Amino acid sequence: MLKVTKQLFVYFFMIKKLLGLLTWIVAFNTSALELKTIDEIHSAYKNNKITAQQLTQGYIKRINQLNPQFNAVINIEPTAVTQAKKIDELSAQGLWAGPLHGIPVLLKDNIETTGSLPTTAGSLALKNNITNNDAFVVKQLRNAGAIILGKTNLSEWANFRSSYSSSGWSAVGGQTHNAHDTTRNPCGSSSGSAVAIALNFAPVALGTETDGSITCPASVNGVYAIKPSMGQVSRSGVVPLSSSQDSVGPMAHSLKDARLVLSVIQGRDTLDTSTHSFQLQALPDAKKSSLVIGALPSDKFTVETQRLYQNQLSALQQAGHKVINIDITDDLTTLFVDEYYVLLYDFKKEINHYLVNTAAQVKVKSLSALIDFNKQNKAAEMPHFGQDILIQANAIDLTQTDKYQKTKHRYRTLATAAITNLYKNNNVDVVIAPTTSPAWKTDLVNGDNFKGSSSSLSAIAGTTHITLPVGQVSGLPVGLSIIANKNQPQGAYQHAQIIDAVFISPIKKPE
């Protein structure tokens, strides 16, 4: 009888311990899911509700559970938990690592990191591209106390391989799926970063944009994002597409977080001569008197997006802002032909320079070799679409520097003037437009089906472009774009905050 009682006690103790563990796991998972913003995470740290190690392990568990359905993350950083433990050691000593203390961050897989992870740009040609180098932005993140959590999927070569393609597809990572509907496209090329934030795989992710690759995926996956001004954030340690337009920018669950991350990663870098010193000032309270908002036309977007836009404009008017309809009056006939030439020229020159300087284990050392590699590995690299853009880039004559410089001057001057004139001629505080239409069905036969974009003027002029997740069409997110005037990014952040406050207040986000 005593033996039986003892066994029952042991069983009871084991069951109680197991139930306690299960209760902790459920409670942890619930709290981890509820922690989305940097302020929420920092508050939880300071109140001893969670540790950086627990949070990081929670994100890794969530990625392992959900990522097979979405293909948003290519690799988890092997040292992520170790990084988190070091943060917890600092916390135990009453120390704070910086503004991103213990904040896990995902990086688009064209951003280099130290350690064992390759930087692939989605291509099998770079599957062994272990650079063991932190890009400038990664150094900035680490210095601010962030935890590098892993690498996200992307459109291969930042969607600059084929004129027909499916955004979010890469040979390394497969097809990324939209966070709100797996049959729909995530947009590109920073697709994995946007989907990862929407699914709460991390509180923060970095993407890159040449023209729309941050703002479009953020829009169709319903997250906040900033494409910074040219020269604000370094591109060193990032696989290049075009130094004329490439930007690195943040995605997050709030505008405040995106802006905080941008304030961390910005700064002068001797390895990127375009960069300059830039200080983001503290934003005032969003309760500003009426803005004069210039609303660009929405006719190039879907009919449902146009209706949503009108509802958003009405909400802004009801909140006390003056909304006026404006339009671009500059002749943009040559703009996109010029842009394509500049991108082709830049890509050939810069990807050749990047590839020739990769480590010995990377065998593809030039654009010509990359084209040959893709042909030799057609089944894996080109099962759906070809590489006509790579071929066109390779045919560019790099000795035609005069043509290149004149084209670049013409297209940048035109884009800058178009934005400047929108502000000057209409006397507005801020210019807005839909970012893009809702996500389309992923089509690996015909390719992408874009319906409107507001990214190009900002991308070419090098001005700030912010997208806010403030509306939906049939349950699918549609972002609202804030297009900054030249040399006025500070005003854009302030105005974006004011506009965002209209939609995150008790006023329901329009649909």
Side-chain angles (χ1 to χ4, degrees):
M1 182 69 180
L2 181 62
K3 185 177 181 181
V4 173
T5 304
K6 187 176 181 181
Q7 286 177 335
L8 287 173
F9 176 78
V10 171
Y11 291 150
F12 174 77
F13 179 78
M14 290 175 63
I15 290 170
K16 184 178 180 181
K17 188 174 182 180
L18 180 60
L19 287 173
L21 179 61
L22 289 172
T23 301
W24 180 87
I25 290 173
V26 171
F28 165 72
N29 284 341
T30 301
S31 63
L33 289 177
E34 291 173 352
L35 297 174
K36 289 188 175 182
T37 69
I38 293 171
D39 282 348
E40 290 168 352
I41 293 170
H42 282 170
S43 177
Y45 285 163
K46 291 174 181 177
N47 291 310
N48 297 316
K49 291 183 178 180
I50 199 169
T51 66
Q53 180 181 347
Q54 290 170 341
L55 183 68
T56 301
Q57 289 173 328
Y59 282 129
I60 292 172
K61 179 180 179 181
R62 183 167 174 80
I63 291 168
N64 288 333
Q65 288 175 336
L66 295 180
N67 193 59
Q69 303 171 47
F70 295 94
N71 287 338
V73 176
I74 285 181
N75 277 309
I76 294 173
E77 168 56 47
T79 68
V81 174
T82 301
Q83 294 175 60
K85 288 179 179 178
K86 291 180 179 178
I87 290 295
D88 288 334
E89 290 171 2
L90 286 176
S91 297
Q93 299 171 41
L95 301 175
W96 203 250
L100 297 181
H101 176 94
I103 301 299
V105 179
L106 287 167
L107 307 170
K108 185 176 179 179
D109 195 24
N110 59 353
I111 300 173
E112 295 180 348
T113 53
T114 56
S116 61
L117 290 187
T119 301
T120 70
S123 172
L124 295 173
L126 293 182
K127 67 178 181 180
N128 296 318
N129 186 34
I130 300 171
T131 67
N132 201 29
N133 168 67
D134 273 343
F136 179 86
V137 292
V138 178
K139 292 175 184 176
Q140 298 288 85
L141 289 170
R142 293 191 198 275
N143 289 339
I147 296 164
I148 305 305
L149 184 60
K151 300 285 195 78
T152 59
N153 199 12
L154 68 161
S155 307
E156 188 169 320
W157 296 111
N159 228 0
F160 204 67
R161 196 189 80 177
S162 173
S163 52
Y164 292 92
S165 65
S166 176
S167 290
W169 185 91
S170 74
V172 172
Q175 176 66 57
T176 304
H177 303 295
N178 190 282
H180 298 263
D181 181 345
T182 55
T183 69
R184 293 184 181 269
N185 198 270
C187 199
S189 65
S190 304
S191 47
S193 295
V195 172
I197 295 302
L199 295 173
N200 199 23
F201 287 173
V204 171
L206 294 190
T208 67
E209 172 165 328
T210 307
D211 188 339
S213 289
I214 288 175
T215 52
C216 182
S219 174
V220 303
N221 286 285
V223 301
Y224 291 86
I226 301 173
K227 193 286 293 182
S229 296
M230 181 62 66
Q232 189 173 353
V233 179
S234 171
R235 289 83 52 88
S236 66
V238 178
V239 181
L241 194 167
S242 166
S243 60
S244 300
Q245 293 182 205
D246 287 351
S247 295
V248 182
M251 300 181 183
H253 295 291
S254 73
L255 180 60
K256 181 180 180 182
D257 284 0
R259 190 178 173 281
L260 173 60
V261 174
L262 180 57
S263 72
V264 165
I265 64 174
Q266 68 182 4
R268 187 184 296 276
D269 176 17
T270 56
L271 296 179
D272 184 346
T273 56
S274 76
T275 56
H276 53 79
S277 297
F278 187 89
Q279 293 296 323
L280 285 175
Q281 301 171 5
L283 287 179
D285 187 28
K287 297 176 182 177
K288 181 184 180 294
S289 59
S290 175
L291 290 176
V292 180
I293 299 172
L296 284 170
S298 60
D299 53 296
K300 61 185 177 182
F301 302 93
T302 64
V303 172
E304 293 82 3
T305 304
Q306 294 175 42
R307 292 195 189 104
L308 168 66
Y309 189 47
Q310 291 306 312
N311 290 341
Q312 291 170 328
L313 299 183
S314 296
L316 289 167
Q317 289 174 320
Q318 291 171 14
H321 303 295
K322 181 179 180 180
V323 177
I324 62 174
N325 294 321
I326 63 173
D327 204 349
I328 297 168
T329 55
D330 299 75
D331 183 0
L332 304 182
T333 304
T334 63
L335 187 66
F336 299 108
V337 173
D338 286 351
E339 180 188 28
Y340 192 51
Y341 174 77
V342 170
L343 297 188
L344 290 172
Y345 189 103
D346 284 349
F347 184 76
K348 179 179 182 179
K349 180 180 179 181
E350 292 161 17
I351 203 64
N352 275 327
H353 181 266
Y354 183 85
L355 291 173
V356 78
N357 287 291
T358 53
Q361 67 266 22
V362 178
K363 303 304 179 185
V364 175
K365 296 296 185 181
S366 68
L367 179 54
S368 294
L370 173 61
I371 292 169
D372 290 340
F373 175 89
N374 289 341
K375 289 177 181 176
Q376 294 162 11
N377 297 274
K378 185 176 181 180
E381 272 292 347
M382 299 189 292
H384 308 297
F385 304 100
Q387 55 177 344
D388 61 294
I389 293 178
L390 298 186
I391 294 169
Q392 290 175 55
N394 205 37
I396 290 289
D397 183 355
L398 295 180
T399 66
Q400 294 185 331
T401 54
D402 286 347
K403 177 184 177 182
Y404 168 75
Q405 292 297 342
K406 288 177 181 177
T407 304
K408 184 173 177 178
H409 175 76
R410 180 171 63 231
Y411 96 135
R412 179 147 292 160
T413 301
L414 179 55
T416 302
I419 292 176
T420 302
N421 287 335
L422 283 173
Y423 278 87
K424 181 177 67 175
N425 296 342
N426 297 286
N427 196 27
V428 296
D429 295 315
V430 62
V431 172
I432 67 171
T435 306
T436 190
S437 297
W440 57 94
K441 292 281 187 178
T442 295
D443 187 343
L444 294 174
V445 176
N446 298 302
D448 289 331
N449 185 23
F450 288 97
K451 297 293 184 184
S453 172
S454 297
S455 64
S456 291
L457 285 183
S458 294
I460 296 170
T463 63
T464 296
H465 181 182
I466 302 168
T467 184
L468 310 174
V470 295
Q472 294 185 341
V473 169
S474 300
L476 296 171
V478 175
L480 185 67
S481 281
I482 311 297
I483 299 169
N485 201 358
K486 185 70 174 178
N487 299 323
Q488 293 185 14
Q490 183 67 30
Y493 302 129
Q494 180 179 347
H495 299 144
Q497 178 181 259
I498 293 167
I499 290 171
D500 188 47
V502 172
F503 298 105
I504 61 175
S505 70
I507 298 175
K508 182 182 177 183
K509 292 183 180 181
E511 183 166 351

